[in-house]
Amino acid sequence: MTETPSRIRYGGDYNPEQWPTPVWNEDVRLMQQAHVTTVTVAVFAWALLEPEPGRYEFGWLDDVLDRLNRGGIRVILATATASPPAWLAHRHPESLPVSIDGVRLAFGSRQQFSPSSAAYRHHAMRLVTQLASRYAAHPAVEAWHVGNEYGNHVPRSYDPESQEAFRVWLRNRYVDIDALNAAWGTAFWSQTYQSFAEVGVPSAAPMIRNPTQVLDFDRFSSDALLALYRAEAEIIRSHARDVPITTNFMGFFKDVDYWSWAPHVDVVSDDLYPDPADPRSRVLSAAARDLMRSLGGGKPWLLMEQATSAVNWRPPNVPLADGRHRLNSLQAVARGADGVLHFQWRQSAAGAEKFHSAMLPHAGEDTRVHQNVRRLGEELTRLGDLVGADVPAKVALCFDWDSWRAIEQDGTPAVVDYLDTVLRFYEGFLRRGVTVDFLHPEADSSGYSLVIAPAAHVLSDDAVRALASVSARGDALVVTYLSGVVDENLHIRLGGYLGGEGALRGALGVRVEEFAPAADGAPFGISGGISGEAHFWQELIRVDDAQVVSTFDSGFAAGSPAITVKRHDGGGAAWYLATRPSTALMDELVTAWLADGRVAAVFDRAVADVETVVRGGRRFVANHAATPTVVTVDDRRIDLPGYGAVWVES
Ligand code: GLA
């Protein structure tokens, strides 16, 4: 996306196939007035592009792209493969996905394909070949959008073709069946397999399913979708050498491991619909932006979709109050986005999403929503200096799909919400105005002076070594409860959790002996060097070589250490936290951890509703509350109206 580097991209999905052609002219005119630079075309147009197998109708798309081109609007061209036409389901019912209970899902909604269907793959690739050869050199096309929200609605299919593909994937991973038996621990409950032919997908079963089989199927399913994405991208690449190719991620989406996907997209793009009725959505949305930036290794990303106001899939669909669409949009830019796009340009008159807001509402241009859209478009024209700019961070927060999936399986010590757990730590830094990057636990963290590993339940030997290196090199490490419990096959690390006998236990100087999730929601006290309240979780830990900072006052682990730190030669520090801190206790801990990491907080005390982040020499400051507030940043007083957001020189 290098053609007009001085503009933040602005626009949305454009579905002209839902409208008669006179509307198309009005669309281009209104897009220009709203400062739209970019639209995503043909996301769900397969049935119109290929009404019968092998009969293509590209005339209408030629017309649309030419009109947009004449109007100076750039196009992100979709491959239209997210929703196959009726004829595919009719001729190839085996292409439809099967649920965990063995139910074949029907045609009539969208995304009704099994990721391993040969028929789907054949027809999808044929369409992409046609599109790529026809539009590769079209002057309006500035990027390609492959599929749509891979894994949304149908992340896994339990059909016979998926079963076969799973066996192939397992053969590649384990080579022989004994290795699979060892990895899956099949000696338990008489699950031993004699051959790969006996191995199935983990469909609904009488009781807890084999944990490693379930995790491997999650991994396989993400890989199967990635293979589809990559196959389409390869076809496009063979026709359009230099045009960026992407697909839209969905923030923290459990079913698709974006660490493994990110290297295959030229630009990370994301869809995010923060819930205005959820006071914690400000945390989730800031974190999702930071995740997108982190997935791309710090590179700018693209907000591919958001809503201008209400969605149509929540109970109830609360609209965005004035200021909130702007705040969401500028938050994305401040946290690294080079574009702000929406679902969708013109609100649909029919179909499943006719009540979903759009840039141009049913009521037309003289509306609250559209006037806000115009004002924002105009404002974004003045932020061109941010295009390509970095968002510096010194704190890294480990995030890992294996841990997410494994800790939320059946048969674990408690029902744990992994994302919520991670976000509690993220929020601790957000409240101090400290920017955080997300990091895979195996990744090199040497650019960060403070690394936090919350509930890092699954740790490979590489991850254990990577984490242990943080305090050894003189930086600060924080590891929390439920970390290092199992390896990548979900086998317990024996000899005390925290990576068993390994390097991490040495780094922290403690080992975990027993878990004690609390039976009720009652808080328990922590006292010592850092005091406060904690909830939900206690552990019995043994201290080998660390300083006890605080102990539990009550509960199963009363008198036992709750917080420890081991100080290393060279200035490194390794903290262990054996419980879930309250918000106030988290604020105290963050203060201590920032000090050990030599990271300065922007707010000297925790601020609940204000966020701040620096990008490209501009500091973004935003108020997520409906009421006005005042904050002090760098000794400057900043007045913010309700849902207000400003940029100040940093
Ligand atoms: C997703 C899809 C869009 C649309 C929106 C509605 O992001 O990609 O096609 O369905 O949700 O919120």
Side-chain angles (χ1 to χ4, degrees):
M1 303 207 176
T2 49
E3 220 174 280
T4 50
S6 57
R7 285 285 299 276
I8 298 280
R9 301 295 196 272
Y10 189 53
D13 280 16
Y14 178 40
N15 299 307
E17 65 274 21
Q18 296 174 14
W19 300 94
T21 37
V23 175
W24 301 0
N25 291 328
E26 191 194 45
D27 282 331
V28 174
R29 180 178 62 77
L30 291 176
M31 284 176 191
Q32 289 168 333
Q33 282 178 20
H35 307 275
V36 165
T37 63
T38 311
V39 291
T40 306
V41 179
V43 179
F44 294 106
W46 190 344
L48 296 177
L49 293 170
E50 191 182 4
E52 289 172 349
R55 181 166 70 77
Y56 298 99
E57 287 194 357
F58 290 122
W60 68 271
L61 186 54
D62 293 348
D63 187 2
V64 167
L65 296 195
D66 291 345
R67 282 168 200 256
L68 290 166
N69 192 43
R70 282 196 300 276
I73 312 282
R74 304 292 92 188
V75 170
I76 300 177
L77 187 57
T79 58
T81 52
S83 211
W87 56 254
L88 187 75
H90 185 66
R91 288 172 191 232
H92 293 284
E94 80 284 1
S95 67
L96 294 166
V98 171
S99 74
I100 191 167
D101 297 312
V103 176
R104 188 84 57 195
L105 303 185
F107 180 81
S109 178
R110 67 174 177 185
Q111 293 196 355
Q112 68 290 341
F113 62 86
S114 160
S116 301
S117 159
Y120 168 78
R121 190 183 176 104
H122 167 75
H123 288 285
M125 298 311 147
R126 217 166 58 155
L127 174 65
V128 175
T129 305
Q130 292 286 327
L131 281 166
S133 60
R134 189 175 187 94
Y135 298 111
H138 195 288
V141 176
E142 67 169 359
W144 286 80
H145 174 301
V146 173
N148 191 62
E149 294 192 338
Y150 277 94
N152 199 3
H153 318 314
V154 185
R156 284 172 288 274
S157 175
Y158 299 78
D159 62 287
E161 282 183 287
S162 294
Q163 173 142 308
E164 270 318 305
F166 185 41
R167 287 177 185 147
V168 171
W169 187 93
L170 291 170
R171 265 183 205 279
N172 284 335
R173 185 176 176 90
Y174 296 111
V175 183
D176 70 72
I177 197 69
D178 292 342
L180 178 144
N181 280 313
W184 288 14
T186 55
F188 187 78
W189 280 354
S190 191
Q191 291 173 351
T192 307
Y193 296 100
Q194 299 304 328
S195 72
F196 283 96
E198 292 177 357
V199 182
V201 294
S203 300
M207 206 241 183
I208 300 173
R209 297 168 298 159
N210 181 296
T212 319
Q213 179 186 15
V214 171
L215 180 61
D216 271 349
F217 191 60
D218 289 344
R219 291 165 170 157
F220 154 79
S221 299
S222 177
D223 286 357
L225 290 165
L226 177 58
L228 285 177
Y229 165 82
R230 292 185 67 187
E232 288 197 22
E234 206 173 294
I235 293 170
I236 298 166
R237 180 67 67 228
S238 71
H239 291 273
R241 291 250 143 253
D242 300 322
V243 185
I245 302 171
T246 189
T247 187
N248 39 354
F249 295 166
M250 290 168 279
F252 290 93
F253 183 69
K254 185 179 172 186
D255 293 316
V256 174
D257 180 348
Y258 291 141
W259 287 123
S260 67
W261 281 61
H264 303 288
V265 297
D266 295 326
V267 54
V268 169
S269 60
D270 192 40
D271 297 352
L272 198 77
Y273 295 87
D275 182 356
D278 176 2
R280 287 186 56 75
S281 72
R282 72 192 162 79
V283 180
L284 180 66
S285 63
R289 320 297 191 193
D290 289 347
L291 176 68
M292 292 305 131
R293 184 184 66 251
S294 305
L295 288 169
K299 281 196 304 191
W301 54 280
L302 186 65
L303 179 60
M304 186 68 92
E305 285 183 28
Q306 64 168 351
T308 55
S309 189
V311 298
N312 70 322
W313 40 264
R314 286 195 178 110
N317 297 299
V318 174
L320 292 182
D322 278 344
R324 300 194 81 173
H325 172 229
R326 173 177 178 270
L327 197 168
N328 289 344
S329 305
L330 297 185
Q331 180 197 53
V333 173
R335 295 187 180 275
D338 273 359
V340 174
L341 310 184
H342 301 79
F343 175 81
Q344 61 178 331
W345 163 251
R346 184 182 279 274
Q347 191 171 20
S348 298
E353 296 185 318
K354 58 185 176 296
F355 294 115
H356 193 293
S357 64
M359 299 176 82
L360 184 61
H362 292 146
E365 48 181 305
D366 184 16
T367 49
R368 180 187 78 96
V369 165
H370 188 68
Q371 293 307 314
N372 284 339
V373 162
R374 277 196 191 167
R375 268 191 293 276
L376 177 63
E378 200 275 324
E379 182 172 0
L380 291 176
T381 64
R382 287 180 267 121
L383 295 179
D385 59 302
L386 291 181
V387 172
D390 288 345
V391 180
K394 295 305 285 175
V395 179
L397 195 54
C398 292
F399 189 86
D400 171 36
W401 267 260
D402 274 356
S403 285
W404 193 355
R405 291 160 172 168
I407 194 58
E408 293 185 1
Q409 286 190 348
D410 294 334
T412 56
V415 175
V416 177
D417 181 333
Y418 174 76
L419 180 57
D420 176 70
T421 305
V422 173
L423 291 183
R424 284 167 188 265
F425 289 87
Y426 176 87
E427 186 179 4
F429 293 92
L430 185 72
R431 286 158 62 86
R432 303 298 295 278
V434 175
T435 307
V436 166
D437 281 348
F438 288 94
L439 198 69
H440 189 279
E442 285 176 4
D444 173 17
S445 64
S446 50
Y448 301 97
S449 52
L450 173 59
V451 176
I452 320 285
H457 183 67
V458 179
L459 288 181
S460 65
D461 288 347
D462 284 348
V464 165
R465 274 190 291 273
L467 291 177
S469 73
V470 175
S471 45
R473 70 171 184 246
D475 290 321
L477 171 71
V478 177
V479 177
T480 84
Y481 63 100
L482 270 172
S483 291
V485 178
V486 292
D487 66 14
E488 64 273 27
N489 291 325
L490 307 189
H491 291 215
I492 294 290
R493 289 186 167 280
L494 300 172
Y497 310 122
L498 279 182
E501 299 291 338
L504 190 54
R505 213 173 94 179
L508 295 161
V510 298
R511 76 195 120 112
V512 178
E513 197 176 310
E514 233 181 297
F515 300 138
D520 53 34
F524 28 82
I526 304 274
S527 55
I530 297 179
S531 301
E533 246 178 36
H535 304 260
F536 177 61
W537 192 267
Q538 295 185 321
E539 287 172 346
L540 280 186
I541 67 177
R542 292 285 189 95
V543 177
D544 294 326
D545 177 21
Q547 173 196 331
V548 175
V549 178
S550 310
T551 51
F552 289 111
D553 294 338
S554 57
F556 181 86
S560 174
I563 305 167
T564 63
V565 63
K566 177 173 171 177
R567 306 244 164 237
H568 290 248
D569 296 342
W575 291 75
Y576 189 70
L577 173 67
T579 189
R580 170 184 286 177
S582 65
T583 307
L585 179 58
M586 181 72 86
D587 290 339
E588 290 214 34
L589 287 166
V590 165
T591 301
W593 298 336
L594 288 172
D596 272 355
R598 300 172 298 279
V599 180
V602 175
F603 301 132
D604 52 12
R605 57 172 182 85
V607 180
D609 288 317
V610 178
E611 75 167 89
T612 186
V613 59
V614 170
R615 183 178 187 199
R618 289 179 186 237
R619 175 173 290 288
F620 174 73
V621 191
N623 175 17
H624 289 268
T627 47
T629 193
V630 181
V631 285
T632 306
V633 176
D634 298 337
D635 297 327
R636 256 177 309 189
R637 177 193 158 103
I638 300 176
D639 285 88
L640 292 160
Y643 303 127
V646 296
W647 301 92
V648 293
E649 297 269 309
S650 120

